[in-house]
Amino acid sequence: MSSLASRPYTPLQPCGILHTAVAISGLLLEDPPTMNDFSPVAESDTALASPLARMESVSRLFGSFAALRQVTVDFAPGQCYVLLGENGAGKSTLLRILAGLLLPSAGQVTVFEDQKPSTARHRIGYMSHAAMLYDELTGHENLSYFRSLYRGNECLSPQEALNQVGLDPALTKTVGQYSQGMKQRASLARVLLSQPELLLLDEPFSNMDVESVQQMVKLLARFRRGDRTILLTTHQRDLAAPIADQILTLKAGRLLSLEPGNPTL
């Protein structure tokens, strides 16, 4: 399989997971702050003229609750971004908007230069809190089923996806018998089937022991070196520090900071 670093930014044949975008209209902040309250975070030296993904003054409301408030940020190709914040800070909402699962209430979101996330889902991989796997099936059976839902000729085989995350395709255990670390890796394999260029990972270290976290971090470091862009959320900054090129902090829906990391892998 050719390296992702050598592949031009041309759309793959559609084989991404089918998502449902939520239609939103007419939502406004009840007490809109001034633009001075939401001055854009300074861009790092790694930001490019044509970012892989861009959010401009993005807000998202659920009723009268503002989950995101005027977020402006660029995501450069081949970088790993770690998104920090307490529960309710807006981390999952930001990922779901980038994945095309939610529409912003205000602002603009573009990916791969000028596409909307909803038209580029085959190039985006989204891993949620839940593993989204069937406990009664083996890892290989799960991936075979999910691959059958995809279209096009650019998807990995179940064997290739499982090998990429260090799981044995011949393992006869059902997913219900997997450890939490194995479930997270199998879930990541499901996401990798469509060979996404943008990986969005919501709490990938959740409920994992130290050894499993280390294995996951090493996997993500390899994908990052393969020129994928990774955006992951976590409560534990230290866990993701070895692969963090950039660290973002959200608080109450606002982007407080974007600072360079110090990756060691």
Side-chain angles (χ1 to χ4, degrees):
M1 184 175 65
S2 62
S3 170
L4 286 174
S6 64
R7 289 167 55 191
Y9 277 168
T10 54
L12 303 176
Q13 292 297 317
C15 62
I17 298 174
L18 298 178
H19 299 307
T20 302
V22 180
I24 304 161
S25 62
L27 294 176
L28 297 174
L29 291 172
E30 289 187 341
D31 185 19
T34 66
M35 286 305 295
N36 290 333
D37 293 330
F38 297 110
S39 55
V41 176
E43 295 183 8
S44 69
D45 292 338
T46 58
L48 301 180
S50 298
L52 184 134
R54 168 170 285 172
M55 305 182 79
E56 298 180 87
S57 300
V58 170
S59 297
R60 169 67 204 204
L61 282 79
F62 295 95
S64 61
F65 173 71
L68 289 180
R69 295 174 177 268
Q70 295 284 327
V71 172
T72 296
V73 62
D74 286 349
F75 299 99
Q79 296 279 295
C80 178
Y81 294 83
V82 175
L83 183 57
L84 304 175
E86 299 176 353
N87 287 334
K91 303 186 303 297
S92 295
T93 300
L94 189 151
L95 258 62
R96 289 172 64 82
I97 288 175
L98 281 173
L101 290 169
L102 289 176
L103 293 176
S105 304
Q108 299 292 324
V109 181
T110 54
V111 294
F112 309 112
E113 296 189 6
D114 60 355
Q115 298 184 60
K116 299 296 184 184
S118 59
T119 64
R121 290 174 185 154
H122 55 288
R123 303 174 71 182
I124 300 171
Y126 172 71
M127 177 176 162
S128 66
H129 285 287
M132 303 298 291
L133 299 168
Y134 292 99
D135 283 348
E136 301 83 2
L137 303 179
T138 66
H140 190 280
E141 289 169 342
N142 266 282
L143 268 61
S144 295
Y145 168 70
F146 284 109
R147 192 182 189 281
S148 72
L149 303 179
Y150 305 158
R151 296 179 180 178
N153 301 318
E154 296 291 337
C155 292
L156 297 178
S157 69
Q159 293 90 335
E160 289 171 323
L162 289 168
N163 283 331
Q164 283 197 11
V165 300
L167 290 177
D168 183 358
L171 188 64
T172 57
K173 274 186 179 181
T174 62
V175 167
Q177 298 174 297
Y178 282 11
S179 67
Q180 182 63 25
M182 292 174 67
K183 280 187 178 181
Q184 291 290 82
R185 283 190 282 161
S187 181
L188 181 59
R190 175 184 56 78
V191 171
L192 294 175
L193 281 171
S194 61
Q195 303 185 81
E197 296 153 78
L198 174 60
L199 280 176
L200 305 172
L201 311 177
D202 200 354
E203 297 286 353
F205 311 129
S206 179
N207 299 318
M208 294 172 67
D209 57 37
V210 174
E211 182 178 354
S212 296
V213 168
Q214 291 174 344
Q215 291 175 342
M216 179 67 78
V217 168
K218 289 178 180 177
L219 283 173
L220 297 179
R222 191 173 79 238
F223 298 141
R224 168 176 156 271
R225 290 193 296 270
D227 208 28
R228 282 187 170 104
T229 297
I230 301 171
L231 174 58
L232 66 88
T233 70
T234 182
H235 295 285
Q236 299 164 287
R237 176 173 180 157
D238 291 346
L239 296 181
I243 55 173
D245 294 298
Q246 304 291 328
I247 299 172
L248 303 87
T249 303
L250 278 178
K251 184 175 183 180
R254 302 189 186 195
L255 184 57
L256 293 185
S257 64
L258 171 58
E259 56 186 283
N262 185 27
T264 56
L265 292 178

